[in-house]
Amino acid sequence: MTRPGSPDAYYRRAKSQGYAARSVFKLQEMDRRYGLLRPGQAVLDLGCHPGSWLQFASQKVGRSGRLVGVDLQEPGVSMPQGSCFIQADLLELTAAEVQERSGVEVFDLVLSDVAPHTTGIKDRDAAASLELSQAALDMALALLKPGGSFLAKVFFGPGVEDLIRQVKGAFKLGKAHKPDASRSASKEIYILGRGLKQARPG
Ligand SMILES: C[S@@+](CC[C@H](N)C(=O)[O-])C[C@H]1O[C@@H](n2cnc3c(N)ncnc32)[C@H](O)[C@@H]1O
Protein backbone atom coordinates (compact mmCIF):
# COMPACT_ATOMS: atom_id res chain seq x y z
CA MET A 1 0.00 0.00 0.00
CA THR A 2 1.25 3.51 -0.80
CA ARG A 3 1.75 5.70 2.26
CA PRO A 4 0.21 9.20 2.01
CA GLY A 5 2.84 11.54 0.61
CA SER A 6 5.15 8.77 -0.61
CA PRO A 7 5.95 8.48 -4.32
CA ASP A 8 3.23 6.30 -5.82
CA ALA A 9 3.18 4.42 -9.10
CA TYR A 10 1.77 7.41 -11.03
CA TYR A 11 4.49 9.66 -9.61
CA ARG A 12 7.23 7.21 -10.67
CA ARG A 13 5.66 6.80 -14.12
CA ALA A 14 5.48 10.58 -14.59
CA LYS A 15 9.16 10.90 -13.66
CA SER A 16 10.24 8.08 -15.97
CA GLN A 17 8.26 9.56 -18.90
CA GLY A 18 9.65 13.07 -18.34
CA TYR A 19 6.42 14.70 -17.15
CA ALA A 20 6.55 17.47 -14.56
CA ALA A 21 3.78 15.96 -12.38
CA ARG A 22 1.65 12.87 -11.83
CA SER A 23 -1.45 14.97 -12.64
CA VAL A 24 -0.71 14.30 -16.31
CA PHE A 25 -2.36 10.88 -16.00
CA LYS A 26 -5.65 12.45 -14.90
CA LEU A 27 -5.75 14.59 -18.04
CA GLN A 28 -4.58 11.67 -20.18
CA GLU A 29 -7.41 9.47 -18.89
CA MET A 30 -10.08 12.16 -19.29
CA ASP A 31 -8.80 12.98 -22.77
CA ARG A 32 -8.97 9.31 -23.73
CA ARG A 33 -12.47 9.01 -22.35
CA TYR A 34 -13.95 12.29 -23.58
CA GLY A 35 -11.77 13.19 -26.62
CA LEU A 36 -10.93 16.70 -25.43
CA LEU A 37 -7.63 17.55 -27.13
CA ARG A 38 -7.20 17.69 -30.91
CA PRO A 39 -4.61 19.02 -33.36
CA GLY A 40 -4.79 22.76 -34.05
CA GLN A 41 -6.81 23.71 -30.97
CA ALA A 42 -6.34 26.83 -28.86
CA VAL A 43 -6.19 25.68 -25.22
CA LEU A 44 -6.18 27.74 -22.02
CA ASP A 45 -4.61 25.90 -19.04
CA LEU A 46 -5.46 27.58 -15.74
CA GLY A 47 -3.19 26.60 -12.83
CA CYS A 48 -0.56 25.22 -15.22
CA HIS A 49 2.49 24.97 -12.89
CA PRO A 50 4.60 22.79 -12.82
CA GLY A 51 3.53 22.02 -16.39
CA SER A 52 2.56 18.39 -17.01
CA TRP A 53 -0.81 19.33 -18.56
CA LEU A 54 0.99 21.80 -20.83
CA GLN A 55 3.43 19.05 -21.85
CA PHE A 56 0.63 16.61 -22.67
CA ALA A 57 -1.60 19.21 -24.35
CA SER A 58 1.25 20.40 -26.56
CA GLN A 59 1.75 16.85 -27.88
CA LYS A 60 -1.95 16.66 -28.71
CA VAL A 61 -2.55 20.09 -30.28
CA GLY A 62 0.69 19.94 -32.28
CA ARG A 63 2.52 22.75 -34.02
CA SER A 64 -0.64 24.33 -35.40
CA GLY A 65 -2.19 24.59 -31.92
CA ARG A 66 -1.94 27.42 -29.38
CA LEU A 67 -1.43 26.93 -25.65
CA VAL A 68 -1.82 29.60 -22.99
CA GLY A 69 -0.89 28.77 -19.39
CA VAL A 70 -1.85 30.81 -16.33
CA ASP A 71 -0.47 30.38 -12.81
CA LEU A 72 0.86 32.26 -9.81
CA GLN A 73 4.17 30.46 -10.37
CA GLU A 74 6.19 30.01 -13.54
CA PRO A 75 6.06 26.50 -15.05
CA GLY A 76 8.96 24.21 -14.14
CA VAL A 77 9.23 23.08 -17.77
CA SER A 78 10.14 25.14 -20.81
CA MET A 79 7.02 26.40 -22.56
CA PRO A 80 6.29 24.46 -25.75
CA GLN A 81 6.74 26.26 -29.06
CA GLY A 82 3.77 28.48 -29.94
CA SER A 83 2.61 28.74 -26.32
CA CYS A 84 2.66 31.54 -23.81
CA PHE A 85 2.57 31.90 -20.03
CA ILE A 86 0.71 34.53 -18.04
CA GLN A 87 1.84 34.90 -14.43
CA ALA A 88 -1.30 36.05 -12.64
CA ASP A 89 -3.85 35.35 -9.93
CA LEU A 90 -6.88 33.76 -11.56
CA LEU A 91 -9.13 35.58 -9.09
CA GLU A 92 -7.93 38.92 -10.44
CA LEU A 93 -7.26 38.13 -14.10
CA THR A 94 -9.88 39.23 -16.66
CA ALA A 95 -10.76 37.58 -19.95
CA ALA A 96 -9.71 40.76 -21.78
CA GLU A 97 -6.24 40.54 -20.17
CA VAL A 98 -5.87 36.93 -21.33
CA GLN A 99 -6.77 37.97 -24.89
CA GLU A 100 -4.43 40.95 -24.81
CA ARG A 101 -1.45 39.15 -23.27
CA SER A 102 -1.76 35.95 -25.34
CA GLY A 103 -3.04 37.33 -28.61
CA VAL A 104 -5.68 34.57 -28.62
CA GLU A 105 -9.28 35.81 -28.90
CA VAL A 106 -11.20 32.56 -28.42
CA PHE A 107 -10.37 29.07 -27.20
CA ASP A 108 -11.55 25.56 -28.10
CA LEU A 109 -10.84 24.19 -24.64
CA VAL A 110 -10.38 25.67 -21.15
CA LEU A 111 -8.68 23.42 -18.59
CA SER A 112 -8.36 24.20 -14.92
CA ASP A 113 -6.35 22.13 -12.46
CA VAL A 114 -6.13 25.10 -10.09
CA ALA A 115 -5.91 24.11 -6.45
CA PRO A 116 -5.71 26.43 -3.47
CA HIS A 117 -2.94 26.22 -0.92
CA THR A 118 -4.59 23.78 1.50
CA THR A 119 -4.89 24.40 5.23
CA GLY A 120 -6.19 20.97 6.27
CA ILE A 121 -9.44 22.63 7.36
CA LYS A 122 -11.88 20.79 5.10
CA ASP A 123 -14.60 23.44 4.75
CA ARG A 124 -12.13 26.27 4.25
CA ASP A 125 -10.20 24.35 1.58
CA ALA A 126 -13.43 23.36 -0.21
CA ALA A 127 -14.64 27.00 -0.21
CA ALA A 128 -11.31 28.24 -1.60
CA SER A 129 -11.38 25.56 -4.31
CA LEU A 130 -14.98 26.42 -5.23
CA GLU A 131 -14.11 30.11 -5.60
CA LEU A 132 -11.24 29.22 -7.97
CA SER A 133 -13.35 26.79 -9.99
CA GLN A 134 -16.13 29.35 -10.33
CA ALA A 135 -13.55 31.86 -11.60
CA ALA A 136 -12.34 29.21 -14.09
CA LEU A 137 -15.90 28.65 -15.31
CA ASP A 138 -16.52 32.40 -15.68
CA MET A 139 -13.27 32.67 -17.68
CA ALA A 140 -14.32 29.73 -19.87
CA LEU A 141 -17.76 31.20 -20.56
CA ALA A 142 -16.11 34.48 -21.62
CA LEU A 143 -13.41 32.93 -23.83
CA LEU A 144 -14.74 29.68 -25.33
CA LYS A 145 -16.05 29.36 -28.86
CA PRO A 146 -19.56 27.96 -29.22
CA GLY A 147 -19.08 24.17 -29.16
CA GLY A 148 -15.97 24.53 -26.95
CA SER A 149 -15.25 22.45 -23.85
CA PHE A 150 -14.36 23.02 -20.19
CA LEU A 151 -12.69 20.75 -17.64
CA ALA A 152 -12.03 21.89 -14.09
CA LYS A 153 -10.98 20.44 -10.78
CA VAL A 154 -12.90 21.23 -7.62
CA PHE A 155 -12.74 19.88 -4.06
CA PHE A 156 -16.11 18.37 -3.29
CA GLY A 157 -18.09 20.41 -0.73
CA PRO A 158 -21.01 22.82 -0.36
CA GLY A 159 -21.77 24.69 -3.58
CA VAL A 160 -20.28 22.12 -5.97
CA GLU A 161 -23.72 20.85 -6.99
CA ASP A 162 -24.61 24.40 -8.04
CA LEU A 163 -21.39 24.64 -10.09
CA ILE A 164 -22.30 21.36 -11.84
CA ARG A 165 -25.80 22.77 -12.51
CA GLN A 166 -24.26 25.87 -14.12
CA VAL A 167 -22.09 23.69 -16.35
CA LYS A 168 -25.06 21.50 -17.31
CA GLY A 169 -27.00 24.65 -18.23
CA ALA A 170 -24.26 26.22 -20.35
CA PHE A 171 -22.98 23.09 -22.18
CA LYS A 172 -24.72 20.34 -24.14
CA LEU A 173 -23.11 17.78 -21.81
CA GLY A 174 -22.19 18.46 -18.19
CA LYS A 175 -20.91 15.86 -15.74
CA ALA A 176 -18.57 15.14 -12.84
CA HIS A 177 -15.74 12.59 -13.06
CA LYS A 178 -13.12 11.20 -10.67
CA PRO A 179 -10.12 9.91 -12.66
CA ASP A 180 -8.31 6.72 -11.58
CA ALA A 181 -5.07 8.67 -11.06
CA SER A 182 -6.82 10.89 -8.50
CA ARG A 183 -5.89 9.69 -5.01
CA SER A 184 -8.92 8.03 -3.40
CA ALA A 185 -8.32 10.04 -0.20
CA SER A 186 -8.51 13.28 -2.19
CA LYS A 187 -11.75 15.26 -2.22
CA GLU A 188 -11.11 16.40 -5.78
CA ILE A 189 -13.43 15.74 -8.69
CA TYR A 190 -13.37 17.12 -12.22
CA ILE A 191 -16.32 18.85 -13.83
CA LEU A 192 -16.63 18.51 -17.58
CA GLY A 193 -18.67 20.66 -19.92
CA ARG A 194 -18.73 19.65 -23.59
CA GLY A 195 -20.21 21.69 -26.40
CA LEU A 196 -20.78 25.25 -25.17
CA LYS A 197 -24.29 26.13 -26.27
CA GLN A 198 -23.64 29.80 -26.94
CA ALA A 199 -20.69 32.11 -26.37
CA ARG A 200 -21.37 34.85 -23.81
CA PRO A 201 -21.86 38.20 -25.58
CA GLY A 202 -18.61 40.05 -25.45
C1 LIG B 1 -2.24 20.90 -8.87
S1 LIG B 1 -1.32 22.25 -9.46
C2 LIG B 1 -1.57 22.13 -11.20
C3 LIG B 1 -0.79 21.00 -11.81
C4 LIG B 1 -0.71 21.11 -13.32
N1 LIG B 1 -2.01 20.80 -13.94
C5 LIG B 1 0.29 20.17 -13.92
O1 LIG B 1 -0.12 19.16 -14.48
O2 LIG B 1 1.50 20.42 -13.82
C6 LIG B 1 -2.35 23.62 -9.01
C7 LIG B 1 -1.81 24.97 -9.41
O3 LIG B 1 -2.81 25.97 -9.13
C8 LIG B 1 -2.10 27.19 -8.94
N2 LIG B 1 -2.95 28.21 -8.31
C9 LIG B 1 -3.49 28.19 -7.07
N3 LIG B 1 -4.18 29.33 -6.84
C10 LIG B 1 -4.08 30.07 -7.97
C11 LIG B 1 -4.59 31.35 -8.35
N4 LIG B 1 -5.34 32.09 -7.51
N5 LIG B 1 -4.30 31.83 -9.59
C12 LIG B 1 -3.53 31.09 -10.44
N6 LIG B 1 -3.02 29.87 -10.14
C13 LIG B 1 -3.29 29.36 -8.92
C14 LIG B 1 -0.92 26.76 -8.03
O4 LIG B 1 0.12 27.72 -8.11
C15 LIG B 1 -0.55 25.41 -8.63
O5 LIG B 1 0.54 25.53 -9.50
Side-chain angles (χ1 to χ4, degrees), residues 8-144:
D8 63 12
Y10 287 110
Y11 173 88
R12 288 192 299 270
R13 234 169 91 197
K15 282 262 168 225
S16 74
Q17 293 180 17
Y19 286 114
R22 72 190 291 292
S23 344
V24 70
F25 298 114
K26 303 178 203 172
L27 180 60
Q28 214 173 62
E29 180 200 321
M30 292 185 284
D31 181 50
R32 221 177 5 244
R33 186 181 282 244
Y34 301 112
L36 299 170
L37 287 155
R38 285 191 296 279
Q41 283 179 328
V43 178
L44 178 61
D45 180 9
L46 303 169
C48 66
H49 170 92
S52 76
W53 282 25
L54 287 174
Q55 290 175 297
F56 181 70
S58 86
Q59 293 158 18
K60 300 287 301 209
V61 302
R63 292 170 80 86
S64 57
R66 295 293 307 272
L67 282 182
V68 180
V70 173
D71 205 294
L72 297 168
Q73 312 174 63
E74 280 189 32
V77 295
S78 50
M79 288 296 288
Q81 202 191 358
S83 64
C84 89
F85 172 65
I86 300 173
Q87 188 159 22
D89 183 338
L90 173 61
L91 298 177
E92 289 169 12
L93 187 67
T94 66
E97 282 167 341
V98 172
Q99 290 170 321
E100 198 180 311
R101 289 168 70 174
S102 68
V104 181
E105 282 295 307
V106 281
F107 290 84
D108 300 285
L109 175 64
V110 174
L111 303 170
S112 171
D113 199 24
V114 176
H117 184 71
T118 50
T119 62
I121 303 167
K122 217 174 61 184
D123 289 353
R124 189 185 293 181
D125 292 343
S129 167
L130 183 66
E131 186 184 17
L132 288 164
S133 305
Q134 181 68 59
L137 176 60
D138 292 344
M139 189 66 85
L141 294 178
L143 289 176
L144 278 176

Side-chain angles (χ1 to χ4, degrees), residues 7 23 40 50 63 72 84 130 148 150 162 173 186 190 194:
S23 344
R63 292 170 80 86
L72 297 168
C84 89
L130 183 66
F150 171 69
D162 177 58
L173 169 84
S186 164
Y190 287 80
R194 272 188 72 170

